[in-house]
Amino acid sequence: MPSSTPSPAARPRLPLMRQRWSNLLFAHWPVAPEILRPYLPARLELDLFEGQAWLGVVPFTMSHIRPLGLPAVPGLSALHELNVRTYARLDGVPGVWFLSLDATQPLGVWAARTLFHLPYLHARMSLTETDGHFRAVAERTHRGAAPATFAATWTPGAALPWARPGTLPHFLTERYHLYTAGPDVQAHRHGPDLWRGHLWHEPWQLREATLQEWDSTLLESHGLPTPAGPPLLYAAEPLDVTVRELRRV
């Protein structure tokens, strides 16, 4: 087992949900901290790597979704997702802060917004594989949300060494907590409610990746500047995830 494997003690004792993540691409850009700081609640500290903030776009497929102790429900057990994220910490606990999570399953979007306080948005999205090449296409359809579109094609390459603590790949990908202040992020940015969620999974098996296509207005839909230069890319092998309920912090 690689040295970066989380301790078994970190597993949720009472898991709420299980799911499988596949067809995943991590795309990241370095961003000046002062640009991202206004997107986080006042209580959250922006998590930096060697003084640099990072902004990510992550398309993937979520499948085998099922509550603890129950079977998967046909038609409700899979969706495609496309999230925009950065990194934060509270009381020394690092986690992910989502600016948005576009997804294809209407009931799943409702449940995530209502039960998990996450800023999920309705979208049309496909994510397909052809001869080892992956292509994701998405269009946001959420009423009242800023419009956004996305199209990317990438090819996974050679397997990378297991990400070691203290390295940039580990910082960007090995995240076992998330923070949220509710679906309307900006409305709650200075509010009192803040939630921390906990995930558990085996370490990511990352791969090199090359882009053949990238056309996105996701970041611009949040009022962020268009990144300069290509993103830092990691493709990832599928893995199983255990989800714990959010707790107010």
Side-chain angles (χ1 to χ4, degrees), residues 218-244:
L218 283 171
L219 304 184
E220 293 82 355
S221 75
H222 291 285
L224 289 162
T226 302
L232 174 65
L233 298 174
Y234 303 114
E237 291 292 301
L239 50 68
D240 295 313
V241 179
T242 301
V243 181
R244 185 177 181 176

Side-chain angles (χ1 to χ4, degrees), residues 23-31 53-60 82-87 136 150-154 168-169 172-173 206-211 213-216 218-219 227 229-236:
N23 308 332
L24 188 143
L25 179 72
F26 293 105
H28 285 93
W29 294 265
V31 177
W54 286 81
L55 183 63
V57 173
V58 181
F60 69 102
L82 178 61
N83 63 60
V84 178
R85 57 194 264 178
T86 188
Y87 304 102
F150 177 83
T153 304
W154 67 94
L168 182 57
L172 296 175
T173 65
L206 300 176
R207 291 184 172 275
E208 297 175 351
T210 54
L211 280 180
E213 174 190 18
W214 185 275
D215 185 6
S216 171
L218 283 171
L219 304 184
L232 174 65
L233 298 174
Y234 303 114

Side-chain angles (χ1 to χ4, degrees), residues 28-33 36 45-55 86-89 94-95 163-175 232 234:
H28 285 93
W29 294 265
V31 177
L36 287 178
E45 176 187 355
L46 189 63
D47 202 3
L48 308 179
F49 184 85
E50 297 181 349
Q52 183 68 67
W54 286 81
L55 183 63
T86 188
Y87 304 102
R89 60 175 57 233
R164 302 187 311 276
T167 64
L168 182 57
H170 191 277
F171 174 89
L172 296 175
T173 65
E174 295 296 337
R175 295 273 165 169
L232 174 65
Y234 303 114

Side-chain angles (χ1 to χ4, degrees), residues 109-118 183:
V109 169
W110 174 87
R113 291 175 66 88
T114 304
L115 304 177
F116 291 89
H117 313 287
L118 287 164

